[in-house]
């Protein structure tokens, strides 16, 4: 195949083109990116005495533990506490343990920092200490410290501690343990609440992100971060919707909420943490506001939307409001007086599920929010122009989950779109099944557990089309971003993880190859055949004078491509980064680095030939001017 490459750019490429979509799904937040190591740390939303009240907690050496509704709670947001009775006649440490989120990773030399609240429900003469430790599954102590407890403390007191691990366990099944001496503490009753333990966090942020996962995401260099959902924005009911104000301020004032993926969200990863994370990541937020529809099917009537719209205005003012606004003052009081960067606000999520009411919900929200924030862009979430919305959306969020073949055959998806001023956010896309008749089915029916080489190559083909159409596509993100390797509600995920490991997928490497090899100009070239198997896009990075050719060969045979460049000065050599392998192979916990990009030198010039291997994603980089 011969490909002519122009030397004149057709359009600039938006800086926001490649980024991430995030929501708390498959423990991507609590138990994943969010650094908290203890599961069910504040007994949020559980019913005392119910089966899951003690989820992740267990008694040690004969203590009696239970979750109670506290008569004097830590806060109205946290009404529950752990009630611990130390029996008589026990020797050694007696107390309780937390098993983390399917384990706790402990590495020697690492310092873990934590805190908990305690109070003696009845004043007692006890004056003593508790041992706070990290223990392996065999019960050996990996690190410990002691804290003083006083029986005179009948009101809640917060105790802080740090534990330096001095040995590395054999596995992840470690526990966080608090014990008192069975002799001196015999017969004591103590309530505990909001127990927290953090490893070192990304950029050492207080209440921050788990370093290994955060670092893997930062490796991609995303330019936007869509949050908080996705379904997890919406709530099963109106009251269960994500509410920004319930997610900011001291942790003891965050009640948590029933997430939309089957588990309670602590909301410890809240709006302020998301915004600081965007700054640490160098990404701008694409922030969603709840749009009056709950996943259980309730739409708020148009004349009832006022309070929800006000809540969205407050949410936006928390992000960008000045000190004339209360949310702006709240942000300043939390340590960020300057506004955060914000351009895009998405109104709802996948409202094509409730298009009949989105017509008025969109109109009411868009008019009110555009009036309040004329500088912002508001993204609609129904199908493009169906139904017709007023005011006419300037941006739409388009989602697609399909087969690798679909992606390989639809890289021209946007070529036919009218250039009418509307811009598009490909907010969720992924090849998730090899079975076109059961895309969302189980692995037994074609669903992918991990991305494969062929799914990643399909996505790359599609992405060359997004890059070509980046005059109207301003942003694109694979979804879901993160998922626990076993405790999940969705596969495949861009990045999988467990308590101590991060697993980078083939699709992760495709996102990284595109994001880390951006151009700021799109360079026209001979169009690929829309029904072919080889797809490419050519961009130029003016700051370095580099030409970057991204090629996806989704076919089962190698493709010899001859490039004829109109540029006058072209380097005679460059680099090729290639991701390829057995089409159905994946990176897995058993073989996490089976498929990684390989870099090599290539000969380039005004005319050169490159051989793209079967089922491969290739990024060629060389100087051209
Ligand atoms: O069940 S789905 O609607 O397919 O859920 C999808 C679409 C939704 O926006 C997101 O939360 C989820 C997976 O990324």
């Amino acid at each position: 195949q011969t490909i002519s490459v122009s030397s004149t750019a057709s359009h600039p490429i938006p800086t926001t083109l490649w980024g991430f979509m995030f929501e708390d799904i498959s423990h991507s937040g609590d138990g994943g990116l969010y650094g908290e190591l203890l599961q069910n740390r504040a007994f949020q939303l559980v019913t005392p005495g119910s089966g899951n009240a003690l989820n992740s907690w267990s008694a040690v050496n004969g203590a009696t533990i239970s979750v109670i509704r506290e008569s004097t709670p830590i806060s109205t947001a946290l009404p529950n506490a752990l009630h611990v009775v130390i029996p008589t006649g026990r020797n050694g440490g007696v107390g309780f343990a937390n098993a983390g989120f399917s384990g706790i990773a402990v590495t020697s030399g690492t310092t873990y920092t934590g805190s908990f609240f305690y109070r003696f429900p009845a004043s007692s003469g006890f004056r003593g200490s508790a041992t706070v430790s990290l223990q392996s599954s065999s019960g050996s102590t990996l690190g410990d410290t002691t804290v003083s407890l006083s029986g005179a403390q009948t009101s809640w007191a917060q105790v802080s501690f740090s534990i330096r691990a001095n040995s590395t366990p054999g596995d992840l099944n470690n526990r966080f343990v608090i014990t008192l001496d069975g002799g001196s503490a015999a017969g004591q009753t103590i309530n505990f609440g909001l127990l927290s333990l953090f490893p070192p966090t990304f950029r050492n942020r207080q209440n921050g992100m788990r370093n290994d996962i955060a670092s893997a995401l930062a490796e991609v260099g995303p330019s936007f971060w869509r949050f908080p959902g996705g379904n997890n924005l919406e709530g099963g009911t109106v009251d269960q919707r994500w509410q920004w104000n319930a997610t900011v301020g001291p942790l003891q004032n965050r009640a948590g909420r029933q997430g939309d993926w089957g588990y309670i969200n602590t909301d410890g990863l809240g709006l302020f943490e998301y915004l600081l994370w965007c700054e640490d990541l160098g990404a701008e937020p694409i922030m969603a506001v709840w749009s009056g529809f709950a996943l259980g099917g309730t739409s708020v009537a148009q004349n009832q939307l006022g309070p929800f719209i006000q809540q969205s205005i407050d949410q936006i003012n928390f992000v960008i409001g000045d000190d004339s606004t209360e949310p702006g003052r709240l942000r300043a009081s939390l340590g960020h007086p300057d506004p955060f960067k914000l351009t895009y606000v998405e109104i709802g999520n996948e409202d094509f599920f409730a298009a009949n009411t989105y017509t008025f919900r969109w109109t009411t929200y868009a008019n009110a929010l555009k009036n309040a924030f004329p500088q912002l862009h508001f993204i609609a979430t129904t199908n493009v122009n169906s139904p017709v919305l007023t005011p006419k959306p300037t941006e739409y969020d388009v989602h697609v989950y399909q087969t690798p073949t679909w992606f390989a055959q639809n890289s021209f998806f946007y070529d036919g779109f009218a250039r009418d001023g509307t811009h598009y956010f490909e907010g969720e896309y992924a090849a998730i099944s090899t079975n076109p008749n059961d895309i969302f089915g189980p692995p037994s029916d074609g669903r992918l557990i991990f991305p494969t080489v062929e799914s990643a190559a399909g996505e790359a083909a599609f992405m060359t089309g997004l890059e070509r159409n980046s005059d109207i596509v301003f942003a694109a993100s694979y979804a879901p971003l993160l998922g626990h390797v076993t405790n999940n509600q969705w596969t495949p995920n861009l990045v999988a993880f467990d308590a101590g490991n991060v697993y980078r997928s083939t699709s992760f490497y495709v996102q990284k190859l595109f994001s880390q090899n951006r151009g700021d100009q799109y360079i026209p070239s001979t169009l690929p055949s829309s029904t072919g198997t080889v797809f490419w896009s050519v961009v130029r990075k003016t700051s370095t004078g580099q030409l970057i050719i991204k090629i996806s060969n989704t076919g089962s045979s190698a493709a010899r491509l001859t490039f004829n460049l109109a540029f006058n000065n072209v380097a005679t050599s460059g680099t090729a980064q290639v991701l390829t392998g057995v089409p159905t192979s994946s990176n897995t916990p058993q073989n996490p680095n089976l498929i990684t990009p390989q870099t090599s030198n290539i000969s380039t010039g005004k005319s050169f030939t490159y051989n793209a291997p079967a089922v491969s994603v290739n990024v060629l980089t060389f100087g051209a001017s």
Side-chain angles (χ1 to χ4, degrees):
Q1 220 159 342
T2 299
I3 300 154
S4 301
V5 178
S6 165
S7 57
T8 311
S10 56
H11 64 268
I13 297 174
T15 56
T16 48
L17 185 54
W18 307 118
F20 284 155
M21 173 276 176
F22 179 87
E23 65 174 318
D24 206 334
I25 178 175
S26 302
H27 283 286
S28 57
D30 286 338
L33 180 61
Y34 178 52
E36 175 63 62
L37 294 173
L38 306 186
Q39 182 164 199
N40 192 16
R41 70 178 179 185
F43 318 98
Q44 291 164 304
L45 302 181
V46 295
T47 303
S50 72
N52 74 335
L54 279 169
N55 177 29
S56 201
W57 295 98
S58 58
V60 169
N61 191 14
T64 302
I65 67 170
S66 60
V67 174
I68 60 166
R69 186 75 79 212
E70 248 287 0
S71 52
T72 54
I74 289 175
S75 68
T76 48
L78 299 181
N80 291 338
L82 187 69
H83 186 68
V84 180
V85 179
I86 309 293
T88 54
R90 283 280 173 164
N91 298 320
V94 180
F96 53 94
N98 188 281
F101 289 90
S102 309
I104 299 176
V106 178
T107 46
S108 185
T110 297
T111 296
Y112 301 84
T113 55
S115 64
F116 60 82
F117 285 79
Y118 85 97
R119 82 179 188 97
F120 281 69
S123 176
S124 97
F126 179 79
R127 302 286 183 279
S129 63
T131 300
V132 186
S133 66
L134 287 164
Q135 295 185 12
S136 72
S137 49
S138 60
S140 62
T141 297
L142 303 167
D144 64 3
T145 185
T146 58
V147 295
S148 297
L149 300 181
S150 163
Q153 188 66 50
T154 54
S155 60
W156 287 104
Q158 188 172 26
V159 176
S160 296
F161 59 84
S162 66
I163 298 172
R164 189 174 187 286
N166 44 39
S167 68
T168 293
D171 58 37
L172 298 169
N173 301 320
N174 308 299
R175 303 193 308 167
F176 170 75
V177 184
I178 296 183
T179 53
L180 290 86
D181 173 60
S184 56
Q188 295 300 323
T189 297
I190 311 172
N191 291 350
F192 292 85
L194 185 50
L195 302 100
S196 176
L197 182 72
F198 269 71
T201 58
F202 189 71
R203 299 270 200 291
N204 290 314
R205 284 269 183 210
Q206 177 67 24
N207 195 43
M209 309 302 186
R210 182 177 136 180
N211 235 338
D212 56 347
I213 295 179
S215 304
L217 299 184
E219 219 177 277
V220 174
S223 44
F224 69 83
W225 178 264
R226 175 183 177 226
F227 77 95
N231 285 353
N232 206 41
L233 162 76
E234 302 183 55
T237 65
V238 175
D239 288 345
Q240 288 174 335
R241 71 192 183 282
W242 186 88
Q243 300 191 52
W244 76 272
N245 44 301
T247 76
V248 299
L251 293 180
Q252 55 266 39
N253 295 339
R254 302 188 200 182
R257 65 179 276 264
Q258 178 59 45
D260 291 284
W261 292 104
Y263 57 90
I264 293 161
N265 295 177
T266 66
D267 278 344
L269 171 52
L271 180 50
F272 194 55
E273 286 80 23
Y274 277 125
L275 295 167
L276 293 176
W277 163 244
C278 286
E279 289 192 337
D280 290 348
L281 203 51
E284 69 176 76
I286 294 183
M287 181 174 75
V289 294
W290 189 73
S291 71
F293 173 72
L295 280 178
T298 305
S299 282
V300 174
Q302 183 161 14
N303 63 7
Q304 307 287 317
L305 285 172
F308 303 102
I309 289 176
Q310 184 56 52
Q311 188 172 34
S312 301
I313 289 172
D314 293 344
Q315 177 183 331
I316 294 168
N317 273 327
F318 182 83
V319 181
I320 58 173
D322 63 24
D323 58 11
S324 72
T325 69
E326 206 249 307
R329 289 194 296 275
L330 173 59
R331 183 191 68 246
S333 76
L334 295 173
H336 201 285
D338 292 341
F340 287 98
K341 180 171 172 46
L342 180 70
T343 304
Y344 296 102
V345 171
E346 183 156 355
I347 298 182
N349 173 65
E350 296 206 332
D351 281 277
F352 43 77
F353 285 119
N356 58 324
T357 60
Y358 198 69
T359 46
F360 69 74
R361 292 186 288 113
W362 163 262
T363 301
T364 316
Y365 269 87
N367 285 335
L369 297 186
K370 197 67 180 171
N371 180 48
F373 307 101
Q375 79 280 18
L376 297 185
H377 286 243
F378 297 95
I379 302 171
T381 71
T382 37
N383 292 324
V384 176
N385 296 326
S386 168
V388 171
L389 298 174
T390 51
K392 182 175 170 44
T394 50
E395 285 86 12
Y396 272 97
D397 178 6
V398 181
H399 295 177
V400 60
Y401 294 99
Q402 260 290 355
T403 62
T405 303
W406 185 93
F407 281 97
Q409 294 176 344
N410 283 274
S411 68
F412 282 73
F413 183 85
Y414 284 100
D415 289 66
F417 272 55
R419 265 59 179 170
D420 64 359
T422 309
H423 287 75
Y424 301 92
F425 173 28
E426 192 68 24
E428 297 177 25
Y429 66 95
I432 67 170
S433 172
T434 55
N435 181 348
N437 305 315
D438 189 14
I439 299 285
F440 297 94
S444 58
D445 203 21
R447 185 69 171 264
L448 298 178
I449 297 177
F450 297 101
T452 61
V453 171
E454 73 179 2
S455 72
E459 289 151 7
F462 186 70
M463 292 163 76
T464 63
L466 300 179
E467 210 161 52
R468 179 173 59 250
N469 290 283
S470 55
D471 59 320
I472 58 171
V473 177
F474 72 94
S477 39
Y478 180 104
L481 176 65
L482 277 172
H484 188 277
V485 72
T486 51
N487 189 356
N488 59 54
Q489 293 80 42
W490 187 289
T491 67
N493 297 287
L494 195 69
V495 176
F497 61 87
D498 57 27
N501 301 284
V502 187
Y503 304 107
R504 292 164 175 78
S505 70
T506 52
S507 293
F508 168 89
Y509 288 115
V510 164
Q511 294 295 318
K512 182 177 176 180
L513 284 170
F514 274 70
S515 179
Q516 291 290 12
N517 295 284
R518 299 176 194 236
D520 51 284
Q521 293 182 325
Y522 189 75
I523 305 292
S525 62
T526 308
L527 283 178
S529 158
S530 63
T531 57
T533 56
V534 186
F535 303 91
W536 56 86
S537 72
V538 184
V539 302
R540 189 158 184 278
K541 188 173 183 177
T542 49
S543 60
T544 60
Q546 279 185 310
L547 207 62
I548 302 163
I549 303 179
K550 300 184 183 78
I551 304 160
S552 175
N553 180 1
T554 64
S556 54
S557 51
R560 273 178 66 77
L561 306 173
T562 299
F563 291 95
N564 293 329
L565 309 180
F567 288 92
N568 294 322
N569 313 305
V570 181
T572 54
S573 69
T575 59
Q577 300 171 78
V578 185
L579 187 81
T580 190
V582 170
T584 55
S585 58
S586 303
N587 289 331
T588 65
Q590 295 71 29
N591 203 339
N593 301 308
L594 178 66
I595 314 285
T596 59
Q598 303 302 314
T599 302
S600 59
N601 288 328
I602 53 169
S603 300
T604 57
K606 274 186 70 63
S607 177
F608 71 95
T609 297
Y610 176 75
N611 214 32
V615 194
S616 68
V617 180
N618 312 255
V619 178
L620 314 185
T621 312
F622 52 95
S625 58

